């Protein structure tokens, strides 16, 4: 073996030892992920979500964390866990969510199971495996150093999949006190890229009020809300500008009561995505400027941009560089990706705190029947997270 290779090898030995540590813990980690998946926790079921939150609080308390449940009325209580650390430095915030998009009773039709090196189950990728990675990274750092090298705040929310209305303020407050935010949402693609940019997300509901009439006896007296909405949708669709990263999708429409009645009401629900924060104002202004074609119809608009984009700024790039350096120690070329979906990382990036997202598991099929994670990628992900907790 040439001398230079030998030196490089010995230099990387601590990282390889860390990787071996996580490889030896892989089965236990897998068991923990299964345990989490088998506690169903849909966003819209408070008792179920609370069962998950309480279970997680106990898990983190066993590692010496101080759990605090932020009570909420409508959703599961949001879980904050504080860990003290050796250095007297700002904490790093590990951010995630324990709610899933799957209704209670999904498990019998979508059981948690291993197939071809993949673990399947509702919410396994998005993002119960990510929560387990947090536990194992913290545990490993404690094993290696006796205590955590710096203070760590874990915040796991219960309403991410439905807009984070109960948790957003807390997320932003915790981020402001932190040096950096690491988000354990799934990685992008099967190569496990981290997410350095996310689009901003919003939704609008446009309600049209028309005037009902008998479609046979008084057709001229009616003013159809459906016709008006159809014309509005044609206008709204022109707001799409895919080149500049703006997309607008009227994904749901409903209206009318019977075929022989001129419709008095029709509604469209519209998803919007933006690439830069600047686009939010202009797009919103265009929505608010919509005018009825039929003067007898009224328009009522609700909604707006919920999550501003996570933009690839200097803070994000610096975190990504640190992540790349950690990965390089085990000969892993860590890639980055920009994605269209939003997460709570959009909030923390939006208030200027360096944020790196997509640090969770690698897999496919988030929100779909084939949702799964790649088991063999877990040790590497844990190693990356542990390294970032130290250096972020
Ligand atoms: Zn998620």
């Amino acid at each position: 073996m040439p001398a230079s290779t030998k030196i490089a090898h010995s230099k990387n030995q601590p990282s390889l030892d860390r990787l071996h540590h996580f490889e030896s813990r892989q089965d236990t980690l897998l068991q923990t992920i299964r345990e989490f998946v088998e506690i169903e926790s849909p966003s819209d079921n408070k008792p179920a979500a609370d069962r998950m939150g309480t279970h997680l609080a106990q898990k983190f308390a066993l590692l010496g964390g101080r759990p605090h449940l932020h009570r909420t009325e409508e959703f599961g209580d949001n879980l904050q866990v504080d860990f003290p650390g050796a250095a007297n430095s700002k904490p790093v915030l590990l951010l995630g969510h324990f709610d899933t998009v799957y209704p209670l009773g999904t498990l019998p039709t979508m059981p948690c199971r291993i197939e071809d090196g993949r673990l399947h189950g509702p919410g396994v990728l998005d993002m119960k495996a990510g929560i387990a990675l947090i536990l194992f990274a913290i545990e490993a750092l404690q094993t290696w150093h006796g205590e955590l090298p710096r203070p760590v705040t874990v915040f796991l929310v219960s309403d991410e999949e439905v807009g984070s209305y109960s948790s957003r303020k807390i997320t932003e407050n915790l981020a402001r006190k932190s040096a950096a935010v690491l988000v354990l949402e799934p990685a992008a693609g099967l190569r496990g890229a981290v997410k350095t940019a996310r689009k901003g997300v919003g939704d609008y509901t446009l309600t049209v009020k028309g005037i009902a009439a008998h479609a046979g006896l008084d057709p001229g007296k009616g003013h159809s809300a459906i016709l008006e909405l159809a014309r509005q949708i044609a206008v709204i669709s022109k707001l799409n500008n895919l080149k500049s990263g703006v997309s607008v999708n009227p994904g749901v429409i409903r209206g009318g009561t019977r075929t022989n009645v001129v419709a008095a009401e029709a509604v469209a629900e519209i998803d919007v995505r933006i690439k830069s924060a600047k686009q939010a104002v202009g797009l919103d202004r265009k929505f608010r400027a919509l005018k009825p074609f039929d003067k007898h119809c009224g328009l009522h608009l609700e909604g707006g941009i919920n999550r501003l984009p996570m933009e690839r700024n200097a803070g994000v790039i610096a975190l990504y560089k640190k992540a790349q350096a950690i990965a390089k120690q085990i000969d892993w070329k860590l890639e980055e990706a920009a994605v269209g979906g939003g997460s709570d990382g959009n909030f923390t990036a939006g208030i200027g705190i360096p944020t790196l997202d997509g640090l969770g598991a690698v897999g496919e099929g988030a929100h779909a029947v084939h949702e799964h994670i790649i088991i063999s990628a877990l040790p590497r992900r844990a190693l990356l997270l542990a390294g970032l907790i130290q250096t972020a």
Side-chain angles (χ1 to χ4, degrees), residues 54-125:
T54 309
H55 183 76
L56 290 171
Q58 288 163 353
K59 283 272 181 188
F60 280 100
L62 285 175
L63 289 180
R66 198 158 37 83
H68 170 67
L69 286 160
H70 296 260
R71 304 289 172 197
T72 68
E73 295 272 307
E74 203 180 334
F75 305 100
D77 295 338
N78 297 298
L79 174 63
Q80 176 185 345
V81 189
D82 292 298
F83 285 90
N88 193 18
S89 59
K90 271 190 170 184
V92 63
L93 176 61
L94 310 186
L95 188 58
H97 63 90
F98 59 86
D99 61 322
T100 75
V101 296
Y102 301 93
L104 214 57
T106 298
L107 268 175
T109 58
M110 201 178 151
C112 194
R113 67 195 189 280
I114 296 174
E115 254 173 49
D116 300 330
R118 294 155 188 244
L119 179 68
H120 291 249
V124 64
L125 174 63

Side-chain angles (χ1 to χ4, degrees), residues 97 126-127 160-161 185-186 343 367:
H97 63 90
D126 187 10
M127 52 152 277
E160 196 273 346
E161 298 289 5
E185 291 280 353
S343 85
H367 299 195

Side-chain angles (χ1 to χ4, degrees), residues 299-383:
L299 304 184
H300 179 70
L301 186 75
E302 276 174 33
I305 298 289
N306 170 30
R307 291 181 166 107
L308 283 174
M310 176 178 142
E311 296 184 43
R312 191 181 181 279
N313 58 27
V316 172
I317 295 168
L319 272 181
Y320 172 54
K321 291 259 154 33
K322 285 176 184 173
Q324 269 187 318
I326 295 163
K328 198 168 170 241
Q329 298 285 310
I330 56 163
D331 278 332
W332 168 23
K333 207 169 163 285
L334 180 66
E335 296 170 14
E336 63 176 319
V339 294
S343 85
D344 287 345
N346 292 52
F347 297 146
T348 61
I351 56 168
I353 313 300
T355 300
L356 191 62
D357 203 337
L359 287 164
V362 180
E364 284 180 305
H367 299 195
V369 281
H370 65 293
E371 179 164 347
H372 62 258
I373 60 165
I374 309 287
I375 297 167
S376 60
L378 287 169
R380 213 173 331 139
R381 309 303 291 184
L383 171 123

Side-chain angles (χ1 to χ4, degrees), residues 19-69:
L19 184 63
H20 294 148
H21 167 90
F22 287 117
E23 282 165 353
S24 72
R25 300 284 289 142
Q26 182 175 296
D27 286 348
T28 323
L29 174 55
L30 201 59
Q31 253 334 99
T32 304
I33 299 170
R34 281 195 94 127
E35 185 185 304
F36 293 169
V37 173
E38 283 171 350
I39 305 173
E40 293 185 296
S41 49
S43 325
D44 61 358
N45 189 313
K46 180 170 171 61
D50 279 341
R51 268 196 295 281
M52 186 72 208
T54 309
H55 183 76
L56 290 171
Q58 288 163 353
K59 283 272 181 188
F60 280 100
L62 285 175
L63 289 180
R66 198 158 37 83
H68 170 67
L69 286 160

Side-chain angles (χ1 to χ4, degrees), residues 138-314:
I138 289 177
E139 183 201 58
L141 285 165
Q142 289 172 333
T143 307
W144 301 331
H145 302 285
E147 62 181 327
L148 290 178
R150 72 187 306 172
V152 171
T153 307
V154 179
F155 190 49
L156 301 171
V157 318
S158 62
D159 59 352
E160 196 273 346
E161 298 289 5
V162 288
S164 302
Y165 292 100
S166 83
S167 56
R168 175 178 185 164
K169 280 268 151 7
I170 311 167
T171 298
E172 290 174 345
N173 284 337
L174 292 174
R176 278 192 192 95
K177 292 178 196 151
S178 306
V181 183
L182 307 175
V183 188
L184 276 294
E185 291 280 353
L190 285 179
R191 291 154 73 96
V194 291
K195 297 168 181 173
T196 51
R198 278 182 180 274
K199 280 194 177 178
V201 188
D203 52 75
Y204 288 92
T205 303
L206 178 64
T207 304
V208 180
K209 296 277 186 202
I211 294 170
H214 191 299
L217 299 178
D218 289 320
K221 286 194 179 146
H223 292 272
S224 170
I226 288 179
L227 179 61
E228 177 63 30
L229 183 63
R231 294 164 120 180
Q232 293 297 334
I233 286 173
V235 174
I236 289 167
S237 297
K238 293 212 178 82
L239 301 177
N240 273 301
N241 188 342
L242 300 188
K243 245 199 204 137
S244 64
V246 175
S247 59
V248 177
N249 178 50
V252 178
I253 59 166
R254 55 181 178 272
T257 49
R258 313 175 69 88
T259 54
N260 60 1
V261 178
V262 175
E265 190 177 294
V267 181
E269 292 173 18
I270 305 135
D271 175 285
V272 304
R273 310 273 158 160
I274 52 172
K275 200 167 145 191
S276 72
K278 281 183 292 203
Q279 292 164 336
V281 183
L283 189 64
D284 192 72
R285 198 182 298 130
K286 285 176 188 158
F287 267 99
R288 310 252 161 229
L290 292 172
K291 293 270 171 322
F293 287 86
D294 179 340
K295 292 192 176 56
H296 295 90
C297 288
L299 304 184
H300 179 70
L301 186 75
E302 276 174 33
I305 298 289
N306 170 30
R307 291 181 166 107
L308 283 174
M310 176 178 142
E311 296 184 43
R312 191 181 181 279
N313 58 27

